[in-house]
């Protein structure tokens, strides 16, 4: 189901992937710095989660400014929260690369505005979180992660040039939130692995994301 979500004086393009049965939980998903919501990994994850009973709303926001992307994410979340079509008990915020930074930034904002934190956001899924720029390991983008309180799942490639394995493990060990990292062996930032098809890698990622969602909320197992 395609929708246009009002955002300032424009609209954000978004698509709902709707499960057959009435969903209790949803995932809001967005893309990285390049591409849009039709990035194949996002389409694959959305289809998989919807087929397992989770509503997915994925959206496009092209801005390269993290504050702008975070604001867009918040607008989409509020749109879903107030939606008459889907009455959800809660959502998970998810993104790929820069989209996961925007999701993390929003989760941190919500956890700091205590009056605003009504438990609607259940957790955060970071796909290929860009912890640092390539070859700039000295400057970590970890400030949001260290302040988050809700459960976080990281899915990263062990050869991601923007997220060195030991550095992410170090940051995660300092996080106060419940957290889990799933490493895709030998994958780069784009989740490409020599000798494996994209579909094969996506099956691993999709299954990991769903089983983690299920651990964190009572989803019926299908």
């Amino acid at each position: 189901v395609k929708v246009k979500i009002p955002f300032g004086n424009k609209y954000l393009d978004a698509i709902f992937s709707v499960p057959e049965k009435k969903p209790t939980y949803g995932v809001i998903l967005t893309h990285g710095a390049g591409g849009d919501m039709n990035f194949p990994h996002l389409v694959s994850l959305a289809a998989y989660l919807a087929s397992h009973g989770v509503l997915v709303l994925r959206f496009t926001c092209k801005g390269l400014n993290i504050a702008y992307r975070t604001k867009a994410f918040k607008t989409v979340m509020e749109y879903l929260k107030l939606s008459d079509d889907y009455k959800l008990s809660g959502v998970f915020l998810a993104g790929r690369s820069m989209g996961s930074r925007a999701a993390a930034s929003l989760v941190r904002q919500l956890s700091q505005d205590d009056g605003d934190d009504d438990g609607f956001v259940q957790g955060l899924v970071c796909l290929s979180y860009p912890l640092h720029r390539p070859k700039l390991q000295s400057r970590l983008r970890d400030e949001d992660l260290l302040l988050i309180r809700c459960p976080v799942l990281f899915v990263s490639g062990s050869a991601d040039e923007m997220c060195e394995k030991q550095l992410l493990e170090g940051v995660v060990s300092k996080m106060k939130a419940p957290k889990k990292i799933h490493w895709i062996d030998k994958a780069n930032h784009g989740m490409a692995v020599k000798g494996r098809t994209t579909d094969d890698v996506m099956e691993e990622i999709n299954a990991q994301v769903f089983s983690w969602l299920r651990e964190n909320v009572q989803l019926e197992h299908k």
Side-chain angles (χ1 to χ4, degrees), residues 6-25:
F7 179 51
N9 53 5
K10 337 190 242 249
Y11 288 89
L12 297 168
D13 288 313
I15 293 181
F16 278 105
S17 301
V18 186
E20 284 173 18
K21 279 166 102 182
K22 198 164 173 270
T24 318
Y25 289 97

Side-chain angles (χ1 to χ4, degrees), residues 100-131:
S100 67
R101 276 185 73 200
S105 170
L106 176 55
V107 170
R108 189 209 66 195
Q109 280 176 23
L110 294 173
S111 66
Q112 286 181 318
D113 309 341
D114 279 333
D116 206 15
D117 187 17
D118 50 9
F120 186 62
V121 174
Q122 300 277 328
L124 171 66
V125 178
C126 295
L127 308 172
S128 296
Y129 186 85
L131 186 61

Side-chain angles (χ1 to χ4, degrees), residues 27-37 39 42 45 57-74 76 92-108 123-131 141 144-145 148 152-155 162 189:
V27 170
I28 302 174
L29 185 57
T30 194
H31 56 89
D36 58 21
M37 66 183 172
F39 188 73
L42 304 189
L45 179 60
L57 174 56
R58 60 182 206 277
F59 71 94
T60 295
C61 174
K62 293 279 196 177
L64 290 183
N65 172 312
I66 195 74
Y68 178 79
R69 295 276 309 252
T70 305
K71 208 167 143 190
F73 213 126
K74 186 170 189 183
V76 174
F92 290 85
L93 305 187
R96 191 190 164 277
S97 193
M98 186 179 185
S100 67
R101 276 185 73 200
S105 170
L106 176 55
V107 170
R108 189 209 66 195
L124 171 66
V125 178
C126 295
L127 308 172
S128 296
Y129 186 85
L131 186 61
R141 297 159 171 161
D144 289 329
L145 300 177
I148 286 171
V152 186
L153 171 68
F154 294 93
V155 180
M162 295 179 74
H189 189 65

